[in-house]
Amino acid sequence: MNPVHKKFSRRARVATGGAVLAVVALAGFGAVSANASAPAATPATATSANAPARATTTSTHLTIDAATKAAQAALDAAEKENQRVTVAVVDRNGNTVVTLRGDGAGPQSYESAERKAFTAVSWNAATSQLAERLEQAPNLKDIPGTLFLAGGVPVTAGNAPIAGIGVAGAPSGALDEKFAQAGANSVAR
């Protein structure tokens, strides 16, 4: 047996061990408590960077009221001719602003109207004109989100496209485009 153990009774060794554990535990708790009460290190605060005017651009978009008016005008023109269509208006970036699905419009008309509107604003041209360009550049149709069928027209401000109106569901692209043009014309009024 260890000579140290001979000098202390079993009871003394247990008491001493318990005291050592208590000191270690209190020291640990004190360190945690001191750490918790110390002010936390503040992270570096991010500030916004102020971009100079030469590094920015301003884009013109239709208001939601103008987009809704255009969509309703296109839908009204179609309904006057007993056509069941869907009308979509997209902004300059191709994001859908308004979609109106007329009573009885086919399920395919929703996506077709959006894609026609997107195509018209992307090329700043009526989709009937763009469909003719496919003869010279057939790979245009492979661009995602586009649809080169008549029925989409751009809306411009200062000759720059700011929106596209697409109509789908009439029996011909010529009718779809006629209704889309009625929507675009309503913005000018």
Side-chain angles (χ1 to χ4, degrees):
M1 193 175 250
N2 189 339
V4 175
H5 287 110
K6 289 182 182 179
K7 293 181 182 178
F8 292 108
S9 69
R10 180 181 168 128
R11 189 175 195 188
R13 285 189 307 230
V14 170
T16 305
V20 169
L21 285 175
V23 169
V24 170
L26 285 174
F29 178 75
V32 170
S33 295
N35 202 14
S37 63
T42 55
T45 49
T47 59
S48 64
N50 213 358
R54 68 183 182 280
T56 64
T57 185
T58 301
S59 182
T60 303
H61 296 268
L62 284 181
T63 64
I64 187 69
D65 290 338
T68 303
K69 178 182 174 184
Q72 189 63 56
L75 189 61
D76 289 347
E79 287 176 350
K80 283 181 186 173
E81 296 191 28
N82 295 317
Q83 298 302 313
R84 298 178 174 126
V85 301
T86 297
V87 181
V89 180
V90 301
D91 67 12
R92 173 64 189 112
N93 300 321
N95 299 311
T96 303
V97 179
V98 176
T99 304
L100 297 178
R101 185 173 177 272
D103 294 334
Q108 78 290 354
S109 65
Y110 190 91
E111 183 179 350
S112 296
E114 286 183 331
R115 290 175 60 192
K116 287 178 182 184
F118 175 82
T119 304
V121 75
S122 295
W123 277 275
N124 193 23
T127 54
S128 60
Q129 295 169 4
L130 296 170
E132 293 171 9
R133 291 186 198 173
L134 283 178
E135 293 174 17
Q136 290 79 35
N139 60 342
L140 282 178
K141 69 181 178 341
D142 298 331
I143 297 172
T146 59
L147 185 59
F148 292 90
L149 297 175
V153 298
V155 176
T156 60
N159 294 326
I162 61 167
I165 301 174
V167 176
S172 75
L175 282 173
D176 285 340
E177 197 159 304
K178 175 182 172 183
F179 305 142
Q181 190 62 53
N185 292 344
S186 76
V187 175
R189 289 185 220 138

